[in-house]
């Protein structure tokens, strides 16, 4: 993957997730950030587990909008925290 | 069919009472036909106007239908066994409720149809227009009329000519696309909420969950009937700031008392317990909400709709424990009388912003008038369903308080006439929202007043009104730019002129309700939807004339069309403002 096509998302506990820019565009907030900065966004309030799930969601949403409609499974234990993160991310 | 047969056999048996009963019977048969049509439309529009509280009307009409269905079988049973007097008494009994709940709209329909037969030429109408309507509105009306080649506005053969002359030029998109909403993936928030609602019992704590998300959860749980006292406990845990429960019908008195007794209410700013009649009465107030004077010090917004056991004394206790109240919703609290409003006015005269007393049948509007006039900063008043609201009430109240009023809900106040609208236009210069649904006595003159008077009107709701296509079109030409929400539910005369004006003027329109407007074609709808670029919600219940040509041919990607195919529509019922008040900030 070329560097220009990717975005790096960093969680509160400093885990780094590198994803495609297209996937990151699902979130309007990240899309806005990615334009400006070096291609790195830090989320001091979101933990690694949640951020991982969010990245999975981005890819799933991308697939969905391209026609492949599947189920996105969320583990119930994650849901409360997961619900509060998107509020901030506008997804 | 059965009714006609039985009437024929009964005819020779009657003597002097024949004229009266026959006359009654004939009228009631007509009425019955009309009644049946009305019932269908009322029952269907019920789906989309649940919140409006017109349930009582529907139940009445449903009873009428039941009565008319029972009629033939009852007559067959009784005819042979009992005497003539019994039969007349039965007839009277069966018809009594229909006459007791006389539907003024049917009377108006009769009047309108009589007018149509007499063919009032449009010149005469324009003359009247010059006299009655303010200058610019009559100009607008003239422009609308001149749009159509023929001047005769009345129905009959001219309507087909009018259709030909008003060509709506709209061509559907060539490429047929699938349902657009399927392409957008559901948001992560929605997905998480759904999982949470399914597993609500497993939620251990709602700490750190912001109020907006709590409200969404409650809303979804109430809709799916999964709300229970465990979740209620979670909501009341800690020191909650906002509680919004749109449906408390599942809550028992004991649960309510237990949960609320231990709740720390010092930070509670919004409390909404709708449909709480089952759990809420005067005697459990002292232990729950009205524990002591000032036990709800921060409460600014209170909604206790359906608290049918709340008396004036109970309300007094509540008001003394919540001195900072600024928005009070007491809809369907049928036990409250005008003294309750007196209490509100005495304690909250300088702070109360919003008051809702929909369907409070024991409140007489004229007796409440002095108290209402004391409320210095009132912005929102809802008296929907109060039959005692008359023109003089509106006049006296608005002359005193009209300039501060921003929202006025007068739905079902069927006694009002055009003169009320004149007063509204003259006094309420800041009016943002108006609901005049089901007021059948209003005529096109009202639109003239509205167009000239209320220049900042953003939301207008009509339902079952008798306005003409031209008047609505002219109003839109003048005031359409500011309008964000428009409901023309069951305004039968809406047609191509309105469609054209909507397309030309309503740039900012977000929500449009055109349910039961059967004169609108696919082309008209397409033009509206493609021109109103801000449109997000379009309700089309009962518009069976709309086909796939429009549904798949329009090019507005963001609009959601509700009411045609099977689509979830409960989500679009207006949820209350997320903040504590509709118009002011804290």
């Amino acid at each position: 993957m070329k560097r220009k096509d990717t975005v790096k998302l960093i969680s509160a506990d400093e885990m780094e997730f590198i994803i495609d820019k297209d996937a990151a565009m699902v979130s309007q907030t990240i899309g806005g950030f990615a334009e400006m900065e070096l291609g790195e966004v830090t989320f001091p309030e979101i933990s690694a587990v949640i951020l991982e799930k969010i990245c999975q969601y981005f890819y799933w949403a991308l697939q969905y909008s391209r026609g492949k409609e599947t189920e996105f499974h969320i583990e119930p234990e994650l849901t409360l925290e997961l619900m509060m993160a998107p509020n901030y991310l506008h997804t | 069919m059965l009714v006609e047969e039985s009437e024929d056999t009964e005819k020779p048996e009657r003597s002097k009472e024949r004229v009266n009963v026959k006359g009654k019977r004939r009228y009631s048969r007509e009425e019955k036909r009309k009644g049946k049509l009305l019932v269908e439309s009322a029952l269907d529009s019920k789906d989309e106007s649940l919140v409006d509280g017109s349930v009582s009307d529907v139940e009445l009409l449903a009873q009428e239908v039941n009565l008319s269905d029972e009629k033939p079988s009852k007559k067959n049973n009784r005819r042979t066994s009992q005497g003539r007097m019994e039969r007349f008494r039965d007839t009277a009994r069966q018809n009594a409720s229909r006459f007791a709940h006389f539907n003024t709209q049917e009377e108006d329909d009769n009047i309108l149809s009589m007018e149509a037969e007499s063919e009032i030429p449009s010149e005469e109408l324009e003359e009247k227009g010059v006299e009655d309507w303010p200058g610019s509105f009559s100009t607008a009306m003239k422009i609308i009329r001149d749009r159509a080649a023929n001047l005769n506005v009345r129905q009959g053969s001219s309507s087909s000519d009018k259709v030909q002359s008003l060509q709506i030029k709209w061509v559907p998109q060539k490429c047929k696309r699938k349902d657009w909403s399927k392409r957008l993936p559901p948001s992560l928030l929605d997905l998480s909420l759904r999982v949470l609602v399914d597993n609500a019992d497993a939620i251990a704590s709602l700490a750190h969950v912001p109020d907006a998300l709590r409200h969404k959860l409650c809303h979804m749980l109430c809709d799916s009937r999964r709300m229970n006292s465990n979740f209620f406990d979670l909501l009341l845990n800690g020191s909650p700031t906002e509680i919004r429960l749109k449906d408390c019908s599942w809550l028992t008195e004991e649960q309510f008392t237990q949960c609320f007794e231990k709740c720390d209410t010092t930070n509670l700013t919004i409390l909404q317990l709708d449909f709480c009649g089952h759990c809420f009465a005067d005697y459990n107030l002292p232990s729950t909400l009205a524990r002591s004077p000032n036990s709800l010090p921060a409460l600014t917004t209170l909604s206790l709709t359906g608290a049918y056991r709340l008396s004036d004394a109970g309300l007094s206790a509540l008001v003394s424990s919540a001195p900072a109240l600024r928005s009070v919703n007491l809809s369907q609290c049928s036990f409250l009388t005008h003294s309750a409003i007196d209490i509100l006015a005495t304690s909250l005269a300088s702070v109360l912003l919003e008051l809702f007393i929909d369907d409070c049948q024991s409140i007489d509007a004229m007796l409440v008038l002095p108290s209402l006039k004391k409320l210095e900063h009132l912005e929102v008043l809802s008296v929907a369903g109060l039959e005692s609201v008359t023109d003089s009430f509106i006049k006296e109240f608005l002359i005193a308080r009209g300039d501060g009023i921003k929202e006025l809900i007068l739905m079902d106040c069927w006694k009002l006439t055009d003169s009320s609208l004149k007063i509204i236009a003259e006094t309420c210069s800041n009016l943002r929202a108006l609901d005049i649904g089901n007021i059948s006595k209003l005529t096109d003159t009202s639109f003239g007043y509205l167009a000239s008077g209320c220049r900042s009107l953003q939301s207008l709701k009509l339902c079952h009104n008798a306005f003409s296509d031209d008047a609505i079109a002219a109003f839109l030409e003048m005031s359409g730019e500011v309008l964000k929400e428009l409901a023309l539910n069951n305004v039968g005369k809406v047609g191509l002129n309105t469609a054209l004006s909507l397309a030309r003027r309503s740039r900012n329109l977000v929500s449009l309700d055109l349910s039961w407007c059967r004169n609108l074609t696919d082309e008209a709808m397409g033009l509206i939807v493609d021109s109103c670029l801000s449109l997000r919600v379009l309700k089309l219940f009962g518009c069976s004339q709309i086909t796939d040509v429009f549904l798949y041919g329009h090019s507005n990607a963001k609009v959601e069309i509700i009411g045609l195919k099977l689509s979830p529509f409960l989500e679009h019922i207006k949820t209350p403002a997320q903040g504590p008040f509709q118009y002011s900030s804290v």
Side-chain angles (χ1 to χ4, degrees), chain B residues 47-291:
Chain B
D47 287 336
E48 75 100 34
S49 59
L50 274 171
V51 191
D52 289 346
S54 54
V55 176
S56 52
D57 288 346
V58 176
E59 283 174 0
L60 283 172
L61 289 169
Q63 275 173 28
E64 284 179 83
V65 174
N66 287 337
L67 281 172
S68 62
D69 286 339
E70 282 169 28
K71 243 171 127 179
S73 55
K74 247 189 174 174
K75 232 175 270 146
N76 286 331
N77 291 335
R78 297 250 179 164
R79 203 192 314 155
T80 47
S81 53
Q82 314 229 334
R84 198 186 300 160
M85 292 312 293
E86 270 294 337
R87 260 206 315 282
F88 291 149
R89 213 182 305 148
D90 284 334
T91 316
R93 223 181 278 138
Q94 282 155 15
N95 285 329
S97 62
R98 185 168 303 138
F99 288 110
H101 301 289
F102 183 59
N103 193 339
T104 49
Q105 199 202 351
E106 290 172 352
E107 187 189 39
D108 283 359
D109 281 354
N110 287 337
I111 294 172
L112 286 172
S113 57
M114 285 191 313
E115 278 183 9
E117 281 160 17
S118 61
E119 284 275 336
I120 301 170
S122 61
E123 290 86 46
E124 197 183 283
L125 207 64
E126 235 176 79
E127 234 176 273
K128 180 188 167 200
V130 169
E131 284 166 19
D132 287 344
W133 298 327
S136 40
F137 187 71
S138 61
T139 321
M141 285 291 276
K142 197 160 181 301
I143 296 173
I144 302 290
R145 289 231 176 81
D146 290 345
R147 254 194 215 159
N150 304 327
L151 281 178
N152 195 348
V153 181
R154 291 295 174 186
Q155 58 271 61
S157 57
S158 62
S159 63
S160 54
D161 292 338
K162 199 167 110 180
V163 167
Q164 280 169 13
S165 58
L166 277 182
Q167 291 277 340
I168 294 226
K169 295 198 175 86
W170 177 76
V171 178
Q173 273 185 338
K174 290 247 171 98
C175 50
K176 293 225 164 171
R177 46 163 180 73
K178 282 186 205 163
D179 214 2
W180 283 43
S181 56
K182 284 192 186 159
R183 290 306 207 97
L184 292 169
S187 69
L188 190 52
L189 185 62
D190 284 338
L191 289 171
S192 329
L193 279 172
R194 275 181 228 170
V195 175
L196 277 174
V197 167
D198 287 337
N199 298 309
D201 289 330
I203 300 179
S205 160
L206 285 173
H208 307 301
V209 177
D211 284 327
L213 291 176
R214 285 189 191 208
H215 298 327
K216 276 212 170 116
L217 268 177
C218 287
H219 188 101
M220 290 170 75
L221 282 171
C222 286
D223 276 347
S224 55
R225 304 296 295 176
R226 288 205 188 125
M227 194 70 199
N228 55 26
S229 54
N230 291 331
F231 198 82
F232 194 44
D233 267 328
L234 290 178
L235 281 175
L236 295 176
N237 225 346
S239 185
T241 45
E242 295 181 10
I243 297 175
R244 283 197 187 269
L245 283 176
K246 59 180 274 200
D247 178 3
C248 296
S249 53
W250 52 272
L251 194 54
T252 66
E253 267 184 42
E254 289 147 25
Q255 287 169 339
F256 175 66
T257 321
Q258 270 171 15
C259 294
F260 247 101
E261 265 172 351
K262 33 185 177 138
C263 175
D264 176 12
T265 53
T266 45
N267 289 323
L268 200 57
T269 55
I270 297 182
L271 179 60
Q272 176 187 353
L273 297 172
D274 286 346
F275 294 111
C276 61
H278 184 57
C279 60
F280 196 78
D282 282 355
Y283 49 84
N284 59 359
L285 262 182
S287 52
T288 53
L289 291 181
R291 274 177 245 169

Side-chain angles (χ1 to χ4, degrees), chain A residues 36-54:
Chain A
M36 316 277 266
E37 310 279 321
L38 298 163
E40 254 186 36
V41 194
T42 321
F43 296 100
E45 291 169 7
I46 304 181
S47 70
V49 185
I50 301 298
L51 197 54
E52 183 183 5
K53 201 72 196 177
I54 293 175

Side-chain angles (χ1 to χ4, degrees), chain B residues 488-551:
Chain B
L488 297 171
N489 188 333
N490 237 306
V491 181
K493 295 180 190 163
V494 162
L496 302 175
N497 272 320
T498 309
L500 279 170
S501 296
L502 274 173
R504 282 169 39 154
R505 289 275 176 254
S506 311
R507 301 262 161 254
N508 292 315
L509 197 63
V510 173
S511 162
L512 180 58
D513 183 357
L514 291 171
S515 302
W516 302 98
C517 293
R518 293 251 173 78
N519 291 332
L520 291 173
T521 58
D522 282 326
E523 284 76 35
M525 284 293 183
L527 187 67
I528 294 172
V529 166
D530 286 346
S531 316
C532 298
L533 298 171
S534 311
L535 197 64
R536 296 290 172 267
V537 175
L538 176 61
K539 293 188 189 165
L540 292 177
F541 288 93
C543 288
S544 44
Q545 81 278 14
I546 302 294
T547 66
D548 285 349
V549 170
F550 161 69
L551 280 176

Side-chain angles (χ1 to χ4, degrees), chain B residues 429-441:
Chain B
S429 45
N430 289 319
L431 195 67
R432 308 260 182 89
L434 181 63
D435 185 342
I436 41 175
N438 288 323
I439 306 179
S440 42
K441 290 186 184 174

